[in-house]
Amino acid sequence: MDTKELLKKVRKIEIKTRRLSDHIFGGEYHSTFKGKGMTFSEVRQYQFGDDVRNIDWNVTARYNEPFVKVFEEERELTMMLMVDVSGSELFGTEQQFKNEVVTEIAATLAFSATQNNDKIGLILFSDKVELYIPPKKGRSHVLRIIRELIEFEPESKQTNLAEALKFMQNVMKKKAIVFVLSDFIADDYHQTMKIVSGKHDVTGIRVYDKREEEIPNLGLVQMQDEETGELMLVNTASKKVRLNYGKFYQEKVDYYKESFNKSGAGSIDCRVDESYVKKLLGYFKRRG
C-alpha cells in the first residue's frame, strides 16, 4: 500500500471512529472505567447538602464559616489494545474482513481513551508478539496505532494468546484497561488469563463471521487453513464433516467464554455484519 492510499484509509477511519467516540462513547467510557481514586482539588464554602465529613476545620476556623474540601477523580488510566494479527483474521464473507472491523473497534476505543486524556498502547500478536507500542497520549499517537493496524504484515500466521498475555503482564507494571481483540480460535490460555485478570481490567472482544460457525453444503471444496497454509479437499456434502467442524468451532467459543467469565474478565461477541457500536455501548452501559 502506497503512502497516499494509507493516509487516505487512516483519515477515513479517524473520521468515522472519532465521531463515534466524541458523541457516543466518551461519556460511557469515562463512567465505566474509573480512575484510581479521588485527589484533593480545592476548598469552597459549605452548601446545603454537602457531606459534613468533607468540612475543612482549619479553613472553617480561620474564616469563621464552614468550608468543605472538593475532590476530583484521579484518572491517569492506561488502555492497552491487544490485537490478533494471525491468518484467521483475514476472513470475511460480508462487507468487511474481520481485521477491518477489529481496526475500527480499536480506533473507536483509542479515541474514547484520548478524549479522557488516558494513555493508549498497542500489542499486535500472532503466536508471538509481533509489535509493541508503549502507551502514550494524544491524537498523533492514536493515528500511528491506526496506521499499524492497517498496514502491519505479521511474520507468523498462527496464534498464541497466552504468550501475548504474558508479555503484556511483564511490560504493564501498573493496572491497565486491556481490550483483547481476536476471533479466539486458540487454546491453552485460561490459566494465563486468570493471572492477568487478577491485576488488570480485561475485556475480550470476539470478532467473527457467520460463515465460520458452520460449513454450508457446497460439495467437494478445496480449502486453505490461513494459519498453517495447508490446502485440503473437504467434502462439505458429508453431514459428519459439517457436524465435526461445528463441534470444533463451538468448543473454541465455549473455551473463550469460560476462560473470560471464570477469570472475572468481560466479554463481547461481535459478528462482522452486526453493529459493533450497539455491542460496545451495551457493554459500557451494563458495566457503568
Side-chain angles (χ1 to χ4, degrees):
M1 190 185 299
D2 62 37
T3 306
K4 191 176 180 181
E5 187 185 350
L6 174 63
L7 291 173
K8 192 177 175 183
K9 275 198 169 189
V10 170
R11 183 64 181 147
K12 187 179 177 183
I13 289 172
E14 181 191 13
I15 290 168
K16 180 177 180 179
T17 59
R18 190 160 193 171
R19 192 182 300 128
L20 288 172
S21 64
D22 286 350
H23 293 99
I24 301 174
F25 295 113
E28 295 295 340
Y29 169 87
H30 184 100
S31 60
T32 302
F33 302 105
K34 302 292 185 184
K36 299 171 190 172
M38 305 300 285
T39 183
F40 173 73
S41 174
E42 60 182 348
V43 292
R44 62 164 171 76
Q45 283 181 302
Y46 177 86
Q47 296 172 1
F48 179 75
D50 283 341
D51 191 335
V52 294
R53 289 173 297 182
N54 291 332
I55 291 176
D56 187 318
W57 295 107
N58 290 329
V59 178
T60 297
R62 192 182 308 150
Y63 292 98
N64 206 27
E65 60 177 309
F67 277 79
V68 293
K69 295 176 182 176
V70 179
F71 297 87
E72 62 182 23
E73 185 184 354
E74 186 185 348
R75 277 209 61 87
E76 193 55 46
L77 299 176
T78 298
M79 176 192 286
M80 182 58 70
L81 297 168
M82 296 183 63
V83 179
D84 183 354
V85 291
S86 63
S88 62
E89 295 301 317
L90 299 169
F91 181 85
T93 57
E94 297 296 323
Q95 295 176 343
Q96 287 180 294
F97 287 114
K98 288 189 289 184
N99 64 327
E100 292 173 329
V101 176
V102 163
T103 297
E104 286 191 16
I105 294 173
T108 302
L109 292 169
F111 279 123
S112 296
T114 296
Q115 195 176 334
N116 284 276
N117 202 32
D118 294 341
K119 295 177 182 177
I120 306 103
L122 177 69
I123 293 172
L124 300 182
F125 69 92
S126 54
D127 60 352
K128 62 181 180 180
V129 172
E130 298 270 357
L131 177 71
Y132 170 57
I133 298 178
K136 278 178 65 177
K137 296 181 181 182
R139 174 178 172 265
S140 60
H141 181 66
V142 174
L143 294 181
R144 184 198 167 188
I145 286 173
I146 295 172
R147 284 199 304 272
E148 294 292 356
L149 287 166
I150 292 171
E151 70 166 355
F152 188 81
E153 294 286 341
E155 290 180 11
S156 174
K157 290 188 174 184
Q158 297 185 36
T159 313
N160 189 328
L161 177 54
E163 280 301 309
L165 288 168
K166 286 174 189 172
F167 176 87
M168 193 280 297
Q169 179 85 331
N170 288 333
V171 295
M172 297 303 297
K173 301 302 180 188
K174 293 181 180 178
K175 181 180 178 179
I177 299 163
V178 181
F179 286 97
V180 186
L181 295 96
S182 173
D183 54 16
F184 294 96
I185 307 297
D187 299 300
D188 302 326
Y189 57 83
H190 177 76
Q191 275 305 114
T192 314
M193 175 59 66
K194 199 172 179 181
I195 295 166
V196 170
S197 295
K199 179 179 178 182
H200 303 283
D201 187 336
V202 184
T203 300
I205 303 179
R206 185 174 76 95
V207 179
Y208 67 102
D209 191 285
K210 64 182 179 182
R211 291 297 181 200
E212 291 177 300
E213 296 178 285
E214 57 182 39
I215 298 176
N217 185 349
L218 300 171
L220 201 61
V221 178
Q222 187 179 57
M223 294 186 177
Q224 182 177 28
D225 186 320
E226 283 292 344
E227 297 206 359
T228 64
E230 182 186 357
L231 284 167
M232 63 197 91
L233 277 173
V234 179
N235 182 15
T236 62
S238 166
K239 190 175 180 180
K240 186 179 178 182
V241 167
R242 296 200 304 275
L243 284 171
N244 284 342
Y245 173 79
K247 185 183 175 187
F248 162 81
Y249 184 81
Q250 193 56 49
E251 282 173 356
K252 301 293 183 190
V253 175
D254 291 344
Y255 183 76
Y256 151 72
K257 289 183 177 177
E258 187 180 338
S259 296
F260 275 76
N261 290 341
K262 286 190 174 180
S263 302
S267 62
I268 306 170
D269 286 349
C270 187
R271 213 168 66 187
V272 293
D273 59 328
E274 294 177 328
S275 167
Y276 65 80
V277 175
K278 288 181 181 176
K279 296 285 180 143
L280 287 177
L281 200 54
Y283 177 72
F284 285 171
K285 283 182 181 296
R286 285 194 304 274
R287 282 200 46 165

